[in-house]
Coordinates of all heavy atoms in Angstrom, one line a residue:
M75 N 28.7 15.3 -25.5 CA 29.5 16.1 -24.6 C 30.5 15.2 -23.9 O 30.2 14.1 -23.4 CB 28.6 16.8 -23.6 CG 29.3 17.5 -22.5 SD 28.2 18.3 -21.3 CE 27.6 19.7 -22.2
T76 N 31.7 15.7 -23.8 CA 32.8 14.9 -23.1 C 32.8 15.2 -21.7 O 32.1 16.2 -21.2 CB 34.2 15.3 -23.7 OG1 34.4 16.6 -23.4 CG2 34.2 15.1 -25.2
L77 N 33.5 14.4 -20.9 CA 33.6 14.7 -19.5 C 34.3 16.0 -19.2 O 33.9 16.8 -18.3 CB 34.3 13.6 -18.8 CG 33.6 12.2 -18.7 CD1 34.5 11.2 -18.0 CD2 32.3 12.4 -18.0
Y78 N 35.3 16.4 -20.0 CA 36.0 17.6 -19.9 C 35.0 18.8 -20.1 O 35.0 19.8 -19.3 CB 37.1 17.7 -20.9 CG 37.9 19.0 -20.7 CD1 39.0 19.0 -19.8 CD2 37.7 20.1 -21.4 CE1 39.7 20.1 -19.6 CE2 38.4 21.3 -21.2 CZ 39.5 21.3 -20.3 OH 40.2 22.4 -20.1
E79 N 34.2 18.7 -21.1 CA 33.2 19.8 -21.4 C 32.2 19.9 -20.3 O 31.8 21.0 -19.9 CB 32.5 19.5 -22.7 CG 33.3 19.6 -23.9 CD 32.7 19.1 -25.2 OE1 31.8 18.2 -25.1 OE2 33.1 19.6 -26.3
L80 N 31.8 18.7 -19.7 CA 30.9 18.7 -18.6 C 31.5 19.4 -17.4 O 30.9 20.2 -16.7 CB 30.5 17.3 -18.2 CG 29.4 17.2 -17.1 CD1 28.1 17.9 -17.5 CD2 29.1 15.7 -16.9
G81 N 32.8 19.2 -17.2 CA 33.6 19.8 -16.2 C 33.6 21.4 -16.4 O 33.5 22.1 -15.4
L82 N 33.7 21.8 -17.6 CA 33.6 23.2 -17.9 C 32.3 23.8 -17.5 O 32.2 24.9 -17.0 CB 33.9 23.5 -19.3 CG 35.3 23.2 -19.8 CD1 35.4 23.5 -21.3 CD2 36.4 24.1 -19.1
E83 N 31.2 23.1 -17.7 CA 29.9 23.5 -17.3 C 29.7 23.6 -15.8 O 29.1 24.6 -15.3 CB 28.8 22.5 -17.9 CG 28.6 22.5 -19.4 CD 28.2 23.9 -19.9 OE1 27.3 24.5 -19.3 OE2 28.8 24.3 -20.9
Y84 N 30.4 22.7 -15.1 CA 30.4 22.8 -13.6 C 31.1 24.0 -13.2 O 30.8 24.7 -12.2 CB 30.9 21.5 -13.0 CG 29.9 20.5 -12.7 CD1 29.6 19.5 -13.6 CD2 29.2 20.4 -11.5 CE1 28.6 18.5 -13.4 CE2 28.3 19.5 -11.2 CZ 28.0 18.5 -12.2 OH 27.0 17.6 -11.9
E85 N 32.2 24.3 -13.9 CA 33.0 25.5 -13.5 C 32.1 26.8 -13.7 O 32.2 27.7 -12.9 CB 34.2 25.7 -14.4 CG 35.4 24.8 -13.9 CD 36.6 25.1 -14.7 OE1 36.6 25.6 -15.8 OE2 37.7 24.7 -14.2
K86 N 31.4 26.8 -14.8 CA 30.5 28.0 -15.1 C 29.4 28.1 -14.0 O 29.1 29.2 -13.5 CB 29.8 27.8 -16.4 CG 30.7 28.0 -17.6 CD 29.9 27.8 -18.9 CE 30.7 27.8 -20.1 NZ 29.9 27.5 -21.3
R87 N 28.9 26.9 -13.6 CA 27.9 27.0 -12.5 C 28.5 27.5 -11.2 O 27.9 28.2 -10.5 CB 27.3 25.5 -12.3 CG 26.3 25.4 -11.2 CD 25.1 26.2 -11.5 NE 24.2 26.1 -10.3 CZ 23.3 27.0 -10.0 NH1 23.1 28.1 -10.7 NH2 22.6 26.8 -8.9
A88 N 29.7 27.0 -10.9 CA 30.4 27.5 -9.7 C 30.6 29.0 -9.7 O 30.4 29.7 -8.7 CB 31.8 26.8 -9.5
L89 N 30.9 29.5 -10.9 CA 31.1 31.0 -11.0 C 29.8 31.7 -10.8 O 29.7 32.7 -10.1 CB 31.7 31.3 -12.4 CG 32.0 32.8 -12.6 CD1 32.9 33.4 -11.6 CD2 32.5 33.0 -14.0
A90 N 28.7 31.2 -11.4 CA 27.4 31.8 -11.3 C 27.0 31.8 -9.8 O 26.4 32.8 -9.3 CB 26.4 31.1 -12.1
V91 N 27.2 30.7 -9.1 CA 26.8 30.6 -7.7 C 27.6 31.6 -6.9 O 27.1 32.3 -6.0 CB 27.0 29.2 -7.2 CG1 26.8 29.1 -5.7 CG2 26.0 28.2 -7.9
T92 N 28.9 31.7 -7.2 CA 29.8 32.6 -6.4 C 29.3 34.1 -6.7 O 29.3 34.9 -5.7 CB 31.3 32.4 -6.9 OG1 31.6 31.1 -6.6 CG2 32.2 33.4 -6.1
N93 N 28.9 34.4 -7.9 CA 28.4 35.7 -8.2 C 27.2 36.0 -7.4 O 27.0 37.1 -6.8 CB 28.2 35.9 -9.7 CG 29.5 36.0 -10.4 OD1 30.5 36.4 -9.9 ND2 29.4 35.7 -11.7
R94 N 26.3 35.0 -7.3 CA 25.1 35.1 -6.5 C 25.4 35.4 -5.0 O 24.8 36.2 -4.3 CB 24.2 33.9 -6.7 CG 22.9 34.0 -6.0 CD 22.0 35.1 -6.6 NE 20.7 35.2 -5.9 CZ 20.1 36.3 -5.6 NH1 20.5 37.4 -6.0 NH2 19.0 36.3 -4.9
I95 N 26.4 34.7 -4.5 CA 26.8 34.9 -3.1 C 27.3 36.3 -2.9 O 26.9 36.9 -1.9 CB 28.0 33.9 -2.8 CG1 27.5 32.5 -2.7 CG2 28.7 34.3 -1.5 CD1 28.6 31.4 -2.6
H96 N 28.0 36.9 -3.8 CA 28.4 38.3 -3.7 C 27.2 39.2 -3.7 O 27.2 40.2 -2.9 CB 29.4 38.7 -4.8 CG 30.7 37.9 -4.8 ND1 31.5 37.9 -3.7 CD2 31.3 37.2 -5.7 CE1 32.6 37.2 -3.9 NE2 32.5 36.7 -5.1
E97 N 26.2 39.0 -4.5 CA 25.0 39.8 -4.5 C 24.3 39.7 -3.2 O 23.9 40.7 -2.6 CB 24.1 39.3 -5.6 CG 24.6 39.6 -7.0 CD 23.7 38.9 -8.1 OE1 22.6 38.4 -7.8 OE2 24.2 38.9 -9.3
L98 N 24.2 38.5 -2.7 CA 23.4 38.3 -1.4 C 24.2 38.9 -0.2 O 23.6 39.4 0.7 CB 23.2 36.8 -1.2 CG 22.2 36.2 -2.2 CD1 22.0 34.7 -1.8 CD2 20.8 36.9 -2.1
N99 N 25.5 38.9 -0.3 CA 26.3 39.5 0.8 C 26.1 41.0 0.8 O 26.1 41.6 1.9 CB 27.8 39.2 0.6 CG 28.2 37.9 1.3 OD1 27.7 37.6 2.4 ND2 29.0 37.1 0.7
K100 N 25.9 41.6 -0.3 CA 25.5 43.0 -0.4 C 24.2 43.3 0.3 O 24.0 44.3 1.0 CB 25.6 43.5 -1.8 CG 27.0 43.6 -2.4 CD 26.9 44.0 -3.9 CE 28.3 43.9 -4.5 NZ 28.2 44.2 -5.9
E101 N 23.2 42.4 0.0 CA 21.9 42.6 0.6 C 21.9 42.3 2.1 O 21.2 42.9 2.8 CB 20.9 41.6 -0.1 CG 20.6 41.9 -1.5 CD 19.6 40.8 -2.1 OE1 18.7 40.3 -1.3 OE2 19.7 40.6 -3.3
L102 N 22.8 41.4 2.5 CA 22.9 41.1 3.9 C 23.1 42.3 4.8 O 22.6 42.4 5.9 CB 24.0 40.0 4.1 CG 24.2 39.5 5.5 CD1 23.0 38.7 5.9 CD2 25.5 38.6 5.5
K103 N 23.9 43.2 4.3 CA 24.2 44.4 5.1 C 23.0 45.2 5.5 O 23.0 46.0 6.4 CB 25.2 45.3 4.3 CG 26.5 44.6 4.0 CD 27.4 45.5 3.1 CE 28.7 44.7 2.8 NZ 29.5 45.5 1.8
H104 N 21.9 45.1 4.7 CA 20.7 45.9 5.0 C 19.7 45.1 5.8 O 18.6 45.6 6.0 CB 20.1 46.3 3.6 CG 21.1 47.1 2.8 ND1 21.5 48.3 3.0 CD2 21.7 46.7 1.6 CE1 22.4 48.7 2.1 NE2 22.5 47.8 1.2
L105 N 20.0 43.9 6.2 CA 19.0 43.1 6.9 C 19.4 43.1 8.4 O 20.5 43.4 8.8 CB 19.1 41.7 6.4 CG 18.7 41.5 4.9 CD1 18.9 40.0 4.5 CD2 17.3 41.9 4.7
S106 N 18.4 42.7 9.2 CA 18.6 42.5 10.6 C 17.7 41.4 11.1 O 16.8 40.9 10.4 CB 18.3 43.8 11.4 OG 17.0 44.2 11.2
G107 N 17.9 41.0 12.3 CA 17.1 40.0 13.0 C 17.1 38.6 12.3 O 18.1 38.2 11.7
E108 N 15.9 38.0 12.2 CA 15.7 36.7 11.6 C 16.0 36.8 10.1 O 16.5 35.8 9.5 CB 14.2 36.2 11.7 CG 14.0 35.6 13.1 CD 12.6 34.9 13.1 OE1 12.2 34.4 12.1 OE2 12.0 34.9 14.2
D109 N 15.7 37.9 9.4 CA 16.0 38.0 8.0 C 17.5 37.8 7.8 O 18.0 37.2 6.8 CB 15.6 39.3 7.4 CG 14.1 39.4 7.4 OD1 13.4 38.4 7.3 OD2 13.5 40.6 7.4
K110 N 18.3 38.4 8.6 CA 19.8 38.3 8.5 C 20.2 36.8 8.8 O 21.1 36.3 8.0 CB 20.5 39.2 9.5 CG 21.9 39.4 9.2 CD 22.5 40.6 10.0 CE 23.8 41.0 9.4 NZ 24.2 42.4 9.9
V111 N 19.6 36.2 9.7 CA 20.0 34.8 10.0 C 19.6 33.9 8.8 O 20.4 33.1 8.4 CB 19.2 34.3 11.3 CG1 19.4 32.8 11.5 CG2 19.7 35.1 12.5
Y112 N 18.4 34.1 8.3 CA 18.0 33.3 7.1 C 18.9 33.5 5.9 O 19.3 32.6 5.2 CB 16.6 33.6 6.7 CG 15.6 33.0 7.7 CD1 14.6 33.8 8.2 CD2 15.7 31.7 8.2 CE1 13.6 33.3 9.1 CE2 14.8 31.2 9.1 CZ 13.8 32.0 9.6 OH 12.9 31.5 10.5
M113 N 19.3 34.8 5.7 CA 20.2 35.1 4.6 C 21.6 34.5 4.8 O 22.2 34.0 3.8 CB 20.3 36.6 4.4 CG 21.2 37.0 3.2 SD 20.4 36.5 1.6 CE 19.3 37.9 1.4
R114 N 22.1 34.5 6.0 CA 23.4 33.9 6.2 C 23.3 32.4 5.9 O 24.3 31.8 5.4 CB 23.8 34.1 7.7 CG 24.4 35.5 7.9 CD 24.9 35.6 9.3 NE 25.4 37.0 9.5 CZ 25.6 37.6 10.6 NH1 25.2 37.0 11.7 NH2 26.1 38.8 10.7
R115 N 22.2 31.7 6.3 CA 22.1 30.3 6.1 C 22.0 30.0 4.6 O 22.6 29.1 4.1 CB 20.8 29.8 6.7 CG 20.4 28.4 6.4 CD 21.3 27.4 7.2 NE 20.8 26.1 6.9 CZ 21.6 25.0 6.9 NH1 22.9 25.1 7.2 NH2 21.1 23.8 6.7
R116 N 21.3 30.9 3.9 CA 21.2 30.7 2.4 C 22.6 30.9 1.7 O 22.9 30.1 0.9 CB 20.2 31.8 1.9 CG 19.9 31.7 0.4 CD 18.9 32.8 0.1 NE 18.6 32.8 -1.3 CZ 18.0 33.8 -1.9 NH1 17.4 34.7 -1.2 NH2 17.8 33.8 -3.2
I117 N 23.3 31.9 2.2 CA 24.7 32.1 1.6 C 25.6 30.9 2.0 O 26.3 30.5 1.1 CB 25.2 33.4 2.2 CG1 24.5 34.6 1.6 CG2 26.7 33.5 1.9 CD1 24.8 35.9 2.3
Y118 N 25.5 30.4 3.2 CA 26.3 29.2 3.5 C 26.0 28.1 2.6 O 26.9 27.4 2.1 CB 26.0 28.8 5.0 CG 26.6 27.5 5.3 CD1 28.0 27.4 5.6 CD2 25.8 26.3 5.4 CE1 28.5 26.1 5.9 CE2 26.3 25.1 5.6 CZ 27.7 25.0 5.9 OH 28.2 23.8 6.2
L119 N 24.7 27.8 2.3 CA 24.4 26.7 1.5 C 24.9 26.9 0.0 O 25.2 26.0 -0.6 CB 22.9 26.5 1.5 CG 22.3 26.0 2.8 CD1 20.8 25.9 2.8 CD2 22.8 24.6 3.1
L120 N 24.9 28.2 -0.4 CA 25.4 28.5 -1.7 C 27.0 28.2 -1.8 O 27.5 27.8 -2.8 CB 25.1 29.9 -2.1 CG 23.6 30.1 -2.5 CD1 23.4 31.6 -2.7 CD2 23.3 29.3 -3.7
Y121 N 27.6 28.5 -0.7 CA 29.1 28.2 -0.6 C 29.3 26.7 -0.7 O 30.2 26.3 -1.4 CB 29.7 28.7 0.7 CG 30.2 30.1 0.7 CD1 29.5 31.1 1.5 CD2 31.3 30.5 0.0 CE1 30.0 32.4 1.5 CE2 31.7 31.8 0.0 CZ 31.1 32.7 0.7 OH 31.5 34.1 0.7
V122 N 28.5 25.9 -0.1 CA 28.6 24.5 -0.2 C 28.4 24.0 -1.6 O 29.1 23.2 -2.2 CB 27.5 23.8 0.7 CG1 27.5 22.3 0.5 CG2 27.9 24.1 2.2
D123 N 27.3 24.6 -2.3 CA 27.0 24.3 -3.7 C 28.2 24.7 -4.6 O 28.6 23.9 -5.5 CB 25.8 25.0 -4.1 CG 25.3 24.6 -5.5 OD1 25.5 23.4 -5.9 OD2 24.8 25.5 -6.2
A124 N 28.8 25.8 -4.4 CA 29.9 26.3 -5.2 C 31.1 25.4 -5.1 O 31.8 25.0 -6.0 CB 30.3 27.7 -4.9
T125 N 31.4 25.0 -3.8 CA 32.5 24.1 -3.5 C 32.3 22.8 -4.2 O 33.2 22.2 -4.9 CB 32.7 23.9 -2.0 OG1 32.9 25.1 -1.4 CG2 33.8 22.9 -1.7
Y126 N 31.1 22.2 -4.1 CA 30.8 21.0 -4.8 C 31.0 21.1 -6.3 O 31.6 20.2 -6.9 CB 29.3 20.5 -4.5 CG 28.9 19.4 -5.3 CD1 29.2 18.1 -5.0 CD2 28.1 19.6 -6.4 CE1 28.8 17.0 -5.8 CE2 27.6 18.5 -7.2 CZ 28.0 17.3 -6.9 OH 27.6 16.2 -7.7
C127 N 30.5 22.2 -6.9 CA 30.7 22.4 -8.3 C 32.1 22.4 -8.7 O 32.5 21.8 -9.8 CB 29.9 23.6 -8.8 SG 28.1 23.5 -8.8
R128 N 33.0 23.2 -8.0 CA 34.4 23.3 -8.3 C 35.1 21.9 -8.2 O 35.9 21.5 -9.0 CB 35.1 24.3 -7.4 CG 34.8 25.7 -7.8 CD 35.7 26.7 -7.1 NE 35.5 26.7 -5.6 CZ 34.5 27.4 -5.0 NH1 33.8 28.2 -5.8 NH2 34.4 27.4 -3.7
E129 N 34.7 21.2 -7.1 CA 35.4 19.8 -6.9 C 34.9 18.9 -8.1 O 35.8 18.1 -8.6 CB 35.0 19.3 -5.6 CG 35.6 20.0 -4.4 CD 35.1 19.5 -3.1 OE1 34.1 18.7 -3.0 OE2 35.6 20.0 -2.1
T130 N 33.7 18.9 -8.4 CA 33.2 18.0 -9.5 C 33.8 18.4 -10.8 O 34.2 17.6 -11.6 CB 31.7 18.1 -9.6 OG1 31.1 17.7 -8.3 CG2 31.1 17.2 -10.7
A131 N 33.9 19.7 -11.1 CA 34.6 20.2 -12.3 C 36.0 19.7 -12.4 O 36.4 19.2 -13.5 CB 34.6 21.7 -12.4
K132 N 36.7 19.8 -11.3 CA 38.1 19.3 -11.3 C 38.2 17.8 -11.6 O 39.0 17.4 -12.5 CB 38.8 19.6 -10.0 CG 40.2 19.2 -9.9 CD 40.9 19.6 -8.6 CE 42.3 19.2 -8.6 NZ 43.0 19.4 -7.4
K133 N 37.4 17.0 -11.0 CA 37.4 15.6 -11.2 C 37.0 15.2 -12.6 O 37.7 14.4 -13.2 CB 36.4 14.9 -10.2 CG 36.9 14.9 -8.8 CD 35.8 14.2 -7.9 CE 36.2 14.4 -6.5 NZ 35.2 13.9 -5.5
L134 N 36.0 15.9 -13.2 CA 35.6 15.6 -14.6 C 36.7 16.0 -15.6 O 37.0 15.3 -16.5 CB 34.3 16.3 -14.9 CG 33.1 15.8 -14.2 CD1 31.9 16.7 -14.4 CD2 32.7 14.4 -14.7
K135 N 37.3 17.2 -15.4 CA 38.3 17.7 -16.3 C 39.6 16.8 -16.3 O 40.3 16.7 -17.2 CB 38.6 19.1 -16.0 CG 37.4 20.0 -16.4 CD 37.6 21.5 -16.0 CE 38.9 22.0 -16.5 NZ 39.1 23.4 -16.1
E136 N 39.9 16.2 -15.1 CA 41.1 15.5 -14.9 C 40.9 14.0 -15.1 O 41.8 13.2 -14.9 CB 41.7 15.8 -13.6 CG 42.2 17.2 -13.5 CD 42.7 17.5 -12.1 OE1 42.6 16.7 -11.2 OE2 43.2 18.6 -11.9
Y137 N 39.7 13.6 -15.4 CA 39.3 12.1 -15.4 C 40.3 11.3 -16.3 O 40.8 10.3 -15.9 CB 37.9 12.0 -15.9 CG 37.5 10.5 -16.0 CD1 37.1 9.8 -14.9 CD2 37.5 9.8 -17.2 CE1 36.7 8.5 -14.9 CE2 37.1 8.5 -17.3 CZ 36.7 7.8 -16.2 OH 36.3 6.5 -16.2
Y138 N 40.5 11.8 -17.5 CA 41.4 11.0 -18.4 C 42.8 11.1 -18.1 O 43.6 10.2 -18.5 CB 41.1 11.4 -19.9 CG 39.7 11.0 -20.3 CD1 38.8 12.0 -20.5 CD2 39.4 9.7 -20.5 CE1 37.5 11.7 -20.9 CE2 38.1 9.4 -20.9 CZ 37.2 10.3 -21.1 OH 35.9 10.0 -21.5
E139 N 43.2 12.0 -17.3 CA 44.6 12.2 -16.9 C 45.0 11.2 -15.8 O 46.1 11.0 -15.5 CB 44.9 13.6 -16.4 CG 44.8 14.6 -17.5 CD 44.8 16.1 -17.0 OE1 45.2 16.3 -15.8 OE2 44.5 17.0 -17.8
R140 N 44.0 10.6 -15.1 CA 44.2 9.8 -14.0 C 44.3 8.3 -14.4 O 44.3 7.4 -13.6 CB 43.1 9.9 -13.0 CG 43.0 11.3 -12.4 CD 42.0 11.3 -11.2 NE 40.7 10.9 -11.7 CZ 39.6 11.5 -11.4 NH1 39.6 12.6 -10.7 NH2 38.4 11.0 -11.8
R141 N 44.5 8.0 -15.7 CA 44.6 6.6 -16.1 C 46.1 6.2 -15.9 O 47.0 7.0 -16.2 CB 44.2 6.5 -17.6 CG 42.8 6.7 -17.8 CD 42.5 6.4 -19.3 NE 41.1 6.2 -19.5 CZ 40.4 5.2 -19.3 NH1 40.9 4.1 -18.8 NH2 39.1 5.1 -19.5
N142 N 46.3 5.0 -15.5 CA 47.6 4.5 -15.4 C 48.0 3.8 -16.7 O 47.2 3.7 -17.6 CB 47.8 3.6 -14.2 CG 47.0 2.3 -14.3 OD1 46.7 1.9 -15.4 ND2 46.6 1.7 -13.2
P143 N 49.3 3.4 -16.9 CA 49.8 2.9 -18.2 C 49.0 1.7 -18.7 O 48.9 1.5 -19.9 CB 51.2 2.5 -17.9 CG 51.6 3.4 -16.7 CD 50.4 3.6 -15.9
N144 N 48.4 0.9 -17.9 CA 47.7 -0.3 -18.4 C 46.2 0.1 -18.8 O 45.4 -0.8 -19.0 CB 47.8 -1.5 -17.5 CG 47.1 -1.3 -16.1 OD1 46.5 -0.2 -15.9 ND2 47.3 -2.2 -15.2
G145 N 45.9 1.4 -18.7 CA 44.6 1.8 -19.1 C 43.5 1.8 -18.1 O 42.3 2.2 -18.4
Q146 N 43.8 1.5 -16.9 CA 42.8 1.5 -15.8 C 42.8 2.9 -15.1 O 43.9 3.5 -15.0 CB 43.1 0.4 -14.8 CG 43.1 -0.9 -15.5 CD 42.4 -2.0 -14.7 OE1 42.2 -1.7 -13.5 NE2 42.0 -3.0 -15.3
N147 N 41.7 3.2 -14.6 CA 41.6 4.5 -13.8 C 42.2 4.4 -12.4 O 42.1 3.3 -11.8 CB 40.1 4.9 -13.7 CG 39.6 5.5 -14.9 OD1 40.3 6.0 -15.7 ND2 38.3 5.4 -15.1
N148 N 42.8 5.5 -12.0 CA 43.3 5.6 -10.6 C 42.3 6.3 -9.8 O 42.7 7.2 -9.0 CB 44.7 6.3 -10.7 CG 45.7 5.5 -11.4 OD1 45.7 4.3 -11.3 ND2 46.6 6.2 -12.1
I149 N 41.1 6.0 -9.8 CA 40.1 6.7 -9.1 C 39.9 6.1 -7.7 O 40.0 5.0 -7.5 CB 38.7 6.7 -9.9 CG1 38.9 7.5 -11.1 CG2 37.6 7.3 -9.0 CD1 37.7 7.5 -12.0

């Protein structure tokens, strides 16, 4: 597997997490009290996970594009 392909896998994971966030947001409307607080916390953590996946995907997919003319990485 190449770094680019791994980046695509991270993109897929970000999409799956985002879809889960949408599902949980629908459930959130029917909750109250502590259950609502816990669900908001869970959703927040999923947003963090999705952001991390998107950022990692971008870095992996662009890894080889960041090389300078003498072959060294500009990381």
